[in-house]
CSV table of all heavy atoms in Angstrom, one decimal:
chain,number,residue,atom,x,y,z
B,222,LYS,N,-84.5,-106.5,-19.7
B,222,LYS,CA,-85.4,-105.5,-19.2
B,222,LYS,C,-85.4,-104.3,-20.2
B,222,LYS,O,-84.4,-103.4,-20.0
B,222,LYS,CB,-85.0,-105.1,-17.8
B,222,LYS,CG,-86.1,-105.0,-16.7
B,222,LYS,CD,-85.6,-104.5,-15.4
B,222,LYS,CE,-86.7,-104.3,-14.4
B,222,LYS,NZ,-87.5,-105.5,-14.1
B,223,SER,N,-86.1,-104.3,-21.1
B,223,SER,CA,-86.1,-103.2,-22.2
B,223,SER,C,-87.5,-102.8,-22.5
B,223,SER,O,-88.4,-103.6,-22.8
B,223,SER,CB,-85.3,-103.7,-23.4
B,223,SER,OG,-85.7,-103.0,-24.6
B,224,ASP,N,-87.8,-101.5,-22.5
B,224,ASP,CA,-89.0,-101.0,-22.7
B,224,ASP,C,-88.8,-99.5,-23.0
B,224,ASP,O,-88.3,-98.8,-22.2
B,224,ASP,CB,-89.9,-101.2,-21.5
B,224,ASP,CG,-91.5,-100.9,-21.8
B,224,ASP,OD1,-91.7,-99.9,-22.5
B,224,ASP,OD2,-92.2,-101.6,-21.3
B,225,ILE,N,-89.4,-99.1,-24.2
B,225,ILE,CA,-89.1,-97.7,-24.6
B,225,ILE,C,-89.9,-96.7,-23.7
B,225,ILE,O,-89.4,-95.7,-23.4
B,225,ILE,CB,-89.7,-97.4,-26.1
B,225,ILE,CG1,-89.0,-98.4,-27.0
B,225,ILE,CG2,-89.4,-96.0,-26.5
B,225,ILE,CD1,-87.5,-98.4,-27.1
B,226,ARG,N,-91.0,-97.2,-23.0
B,226,ARG,CA,-91.7,-96.3,-22.2
B,226,ARG,C,-90.9,-95.9,-21.0
B,226,ARG,O,-90.9,-94.9,-20.4
B,226,ARG,CB,-93.0,-97.1,-21.6
B,226,ARG,CG,-94.0,-97.2,-22.7
B,226,ARG,CD,-95.2,-98.1,-22.1
B,226,ARG,NE,-94.7,-99.5,-21.9
B,226,ARG,CZ,-95.6,-100.3,-21.3
B,226,ARG,NH1,-96.7,-100.0,-20.9
B,226,ARG,NH2,-95.0,-101.6,-21.1
B,227,ARG,N,-89.9,-96.9,-20.6
B,227,ARG,CA,-89.0,-96.6,-19.5
B,227,ARG,C,-87.6,-96.0,-19.9
B,227,ARG,O,-87.1,-95.1,-19.4
B,227,ARG,CB,-88.7,-97.8,-18.6
B,227,ARG,CG,-87.9,-97.5,-17.4
B,227,ARG,CD,-87.3,-98.7,-16.8
B,227,ARG,NE,-86.3,-99.4,-17.8
B,227,ARG,CZ,-85.4,-100.3,-17.6
B,227,ARG,NH1,-85.4,-100.8,-16.5
B,227,ARG,NH2,-84.7,-100.6,-18.5
B,228,ASP,N,-87.1,-96.6,-21.1
B,228,ASP,CA,-85.8,-96.2,-21.5
B,228,ASP,C,-85.7,-94.9,-22.3
B,228,ASP,O,-84.6,-94.3,-22.3
B,228,ASP,CB,-85.2,-97.3,-22.4
B,228,ASP,CG,-85.3,-98.7,-21.8
B,228,ASP,OD1,-85.3,-98.7,-20.6
B,228,ASP,OD2,-85.3,-99.7,-22.5
B,229,ASP,N,-86.8,-94.5,-22.8
B,229,ASP,CA,-86.8,-93.3,-23.6
B,229,ASP,C,-88.2,-92.6,-23.5
B,229,ASP,O,-89.0,-92.6,-24.5
B,229,ASP,CB,-86.4,-93.5,-25.1
B,229,ASP,CG,-86.2,-92.2,-25.9
B,229,ASP,OD1,-86.3,-91.1,-25.2
B,229,ASP,OD2,-86.1,-92.3,-27.1
B,230,PRO,N,-88.6,-92.2,-22.3
B,230,PRO,CA,-90.0,-92.0,-22.0
B,230,PRO,C,-90.6,-90.9,-22.9
B,230,PRO,O,-89.9,-89.9,-23.2
B,230,PRO,CB,-89.9,-91.4,-20.5
B,230,PRO,CG,-88.6,-91.8,-20.1
B,230,PRO,CD,-87.7,-91.9,-21.2
B,231,TYR,N,-91.8,-91.1,-23.3
B,231,TYR,CA,-92.6,-90.2,-24.1
B,231,TYR,C,-93.9,-90.0,-23.5
B,231,TYR,O,-94.1,-90.6,-22.5
B,231,TYR,CB,-92.7,-90.7,-25.6
B,231,TYR,CG,-93.2,-92.1,-25.6
B,231,TYR,CD1,-94.6,-92.3,-25.8
B,231,TYR,CD2,-92.4,-93.2,-25.5
B,231,TYR,CE1,-95.1,-93.5,-25.9
B,231,TYR,CE2,-93.0,-94.4,-25.5
B,231,TYR,CZ,-94.3,-94.7,-25.7
B,231,TYR,OH,-94.8,-96.0,-25.7
B,234,TYR,N,-95.2,-91.1,-19.7
B,234,TYR,CA,-94.7,-92.4,-19.0
B,234,TYR,C,-93.6,-92.0,-18.0
B,234,TYR,O,-93.5,-92.8,-17.0
B,234,TYR,CB,-94.1,-93.3,-20.0
B,234,TYR,CG,-95.4,-94.0,-20.8
B,234,TYR,CD1,-95.5,-93.7,-22.2
B,234,TYR,CD2,-96.2,-94.8,-20.2
B,234,TYR,CE1,-96.6,-94.3,-22.8
B,234,TYR,CE2,-97.3,-95.4,-20.7
B,234,TYR,CZ,-97.4,-95.1,-22.2
B,234,TYR,OH,-98.5,-95.7,-22.7
B,239,PHE,N,-94.5,-97.8,-13.1
B,239,PHE,CA,-94.8,-99.1,-13.6
B,239,PHE,C,-93.7,-100.0,-13.7
B,239,PHE,O,-92.6,-99.5,-13.7
B,239,PHE,CB,-95.6,-99.0,-15.0
B,239,PHE,CG,-94.8,-98.5,-16.0
B,239,PHE,CD1,-94.0,-99.3,-17.0
B,239,PHE,CD2,-94.5,-97.1,-16.2
B,239,PHE,CE1,-93.1,-98.8,-18.0
B,239,PHE,CE2,-93.7,-96.5,-17.2
B,239,PHE,CZ,-93.0,-97.4,-18.1
B,241,VAL,N,-91.3,-102.8,-15.6
B,241,VAL,CA,-90.9,-103.5,-16.9
B,241,VAL,C,-91.0,-105.0,-16.6
B,241,VAL,O,-90.0,-105.5,-15.9
B,241,VAL,CB,-89.7,-103.0,-17.4
B,241,VAL,CG1,-89.3,-103.7,-18.7
B,241,VAL,CG2,-89.8,-101.5,-17.7
Side-chain angles (χ1 to χ4, degrees):
Chain B
K222 235 185 175 57
S223 156
D224 190 318
I225 306 301
R226 289 174 295 174
R227 186 204 58 170
D228 304 339
D229 185 7
Y231 53 94
Y234 287 111
F239 62 98
V241 176

